[in-house]
Amino acid sequence: MSADDRAADAVVIGAGVVGLAVARALARSGRDVVVLEAADTFGTGVSSRSSEVIHAGLYYPTGSLKARLCVAGRRALYAYCEARGVAHRRLGKLVVAATDAEVPTLEGYARQGAENGVDDLRLLEPAEVRALEPDVALQCARALLSPSTGIVDSHGLMRALADDARAAGAALAFRAPVVRGELARAGGFLLHTGGPSPSSVRCAAVVNAAGLGAQTVAARLAGLPPATIPPLYFAKGHYFVLTSPSPFRHLVYPLAGGGGLGVHVTMDLAGRARFGPDIAWTDELDYSFDELRKTDFYAAIRRYWPSLPDGALASGYTGIRPKLSPAGAPARDFVIQGPESHGVPALVNLYGVESPGLTSCLAIADEVLERLSPPA
């Protein structure tokens, strides 16, 4: 995009997996779309620092956006990856109750998942777990098998979404942070970008999919009531990698807690195992790695893999999730906020899109289309 002002029907702010899915859906619906991304490429924030898990939809309250969009999004995502050749694998997941006291919680997950439409769940006895994961069975009272959980190449997924969006006519502008925006006199919006080539874009509709920056972007939009912008809390998570070959064939999770799903084992598409994330609440976007957390990781992993050898973990990476509730408070649902909430026509703000945001990306895009006014 040049430094000259331009016009578009819709602007998507943020080129993470959700922003790209929204841009693709808008462009395929016939809109002239521009994506504004502050970084120099797509997916540098939440989308590139995750477990890359395709979630089934076990944990989320029935009727919530997370439950509904995760289940619909998982089905759509598997179909999309098949059609577009995006690398993925349906490995299945074991959620482990390490003690008898944890079994009722596990049974609650099974009931919750079934209510959410996850229809392939199975509660397993230790002997059945032993046949699937012998090392896990050493510390297992019972487990819940979720066959539809899987993994995906998140970067490959974002490349496919970006290619689809461009093929449908969307333009992606990088190093173009939105520094302010206002309602245009003739209707719609006028967005001003910074970066090396400052510019302005007039548009009829705006989707704020800026992830960790969504609240900051919203605060820069003149006319948006500040009281409609929810508070933001940063939850930093560390990932350690296994230095030896993985003994696992499935993803393995403990019971959820502490603001996340627990320190679990996932695998990349090459079969390498990694563990995480933990939760470290922070006030800043700091991706530095704290080696001192390794001791806590060994303890957490040995609750479901007691034979984890000493010295088997190496530093991996960190990610930060945009939380809408602070430490100790119940997790909040996704917020997909349209004109009915803030009063600004043709503006949709996406807040708190953390896990299962990647799984839900295509379903979130469909939801955004429904919330937007039709093109003029």
Side-chain angles (χ1 to χ4, degrees):
M1 190 170 65
S2 71
D4 297 330
D5 292 359
R6 67 156 292 174
D9 179 53
V11 167
V12 177
I13 304 172
V17 68
V18 170
L20 292 171
V22 170
R24 170 184 177 271
L26 286 168
R28 286 164 62 93
S29 74
R31 292 181 183 254
D32 176 30
V33 178
V34 171
V35 180
L36 301 177
E37 168 57 48
D40 58 5
T41 189
F42 57 76
T44 62
V46 178
S47 300
S48 64
R49 294 172 173 270
S50 73
S51 301
E52 297 185 300
V53 172
I54 301 176
H55 290 283
L58 308 182
Y59 305 95
Y60 317 111
T62 304
S64 66
L65 285 173
K66 286 183 177 180
R68 180 164 60 82
L69 298 178
C70 181
V71 172
R74 180 243 304 162
R75 293 169 179 155
L77 185 55
Y78 275 126
Y80 181 76
C81 289
E82 289 285 349
R84 293 289 281 110
V86 176
H88 67 288
R89 192 168 301 149
R90 200 182 298 237
L91 292 174
K93 173 172 81 173
L94 288 173
V95 186
V96 177
T99 66
D100 290 336
E102 293 182 344
V103 170
T105 300
L106 192 73
E107 293 171 340
Y109 292 162
R111 290 191 297 270
Q112 185 65 63
E115 289 179 9
N116 291 347
V118 186
D119 55 9
D120 58 354
L121 301 173
R122 288 179 52 212
L123 283 164
L124 305 181
E125 300 298 333
E128 296 173 290
V129 176
R130 190 173 302 112
L132 297 176
E133 296 289 355
D135 288 290
V136 171
L138 297 174
Q139 187 64 49
C140 174
R142 255 189 133 183
L144 179 64
L145 174 63
S146 170
S148 58
T149 300
I151 56 174
V152 64
D153 174 3
S154 60
H155 294 277
L157 172 60
M158 288 188 281
R159 280 194 301 271
L161 293 170
D163 288 346
D164 284 355
R166 290 189 180 105
L172 274 64
F174 299 113
R175 295 190 293 172
V178 173
V179 295
R180 72 181 192 281
E182 59 214 45
L183 295 174
R185 292 180 180 177
F189 303 86
L190 180 61
L191 301 178
H192 305 277
T193 65
S197 300
S199 181
S200 299
V201 183
R202 288 181 172 82
C203 59
V206 170
V207 179
N208 173 11
L212 290 162
Q215 279 86 340
T216 298
V217 166
R220 292 172 178 172
L221 302 178
L224 181 67
T228 67
I229 304 173
L232 173 65
Y233 305 92
F234 294 153
K236 182 176 180 178
H238 293 73
Y239 290 86
F240 283 85
V241 297
L242 187 64
T243 57
S244 58
S246 173
F248 303 106
R249 293 181 293 165
H250 301 76
L251 310 183
V252 181
Y253 282 58
L255 301 189
L261 299 183
V263 172
H264 49 267
V265 56
T266 66
M267 282 168 275
D268 62 21
L269 288 157
R272 291 182 292 264
R274 54 192 171 191
F275 300 89
D278 61 353
I279 296 287
W281 297 92
T282 179
D283 295 325
E284 56 186 349
L285 289 175
D286 171 19
Y287 292 108
S288 62
F289 199 96
D290 182 2
E291 284 279 353
L292 296 178
R293 305 187 81 85
K294 185 180 290 187
T295 299
D296 291 337
F297 265 71
Y298 276 104
I301 296 164
R302 283 172 174 154
R303 293 206 72 242
Y304 56 85
W305 183 24
S307 58
L308 170 67
D310 289 337
L313 299 181
S315 301
Y317 58 97
T318 62
I320 296 177
R321 291 180 174 180
K323 297 281 189 179
L324 299 182
S325 52
R332 287 188 60 187
D333 199 5
F334 294 153
V335 172
I336 302 180
Q337 190 188 78
E340 74 287 344
S341 299
H342 52 59
V344 180
L347 170 65
V348 174
N349 290 310
L350 305 179
Y351 299 120
V353 182
E354 50 157 337
S355 180
L358 185 151
T359 303
S360 307
C361 65
L362 296 172
I364 291 173
D366 290 341
E367 186 82 10
V368 169
L369 288 185
E370 292 182 8
R371 305 271 183 123
L372 282 175
S373 301

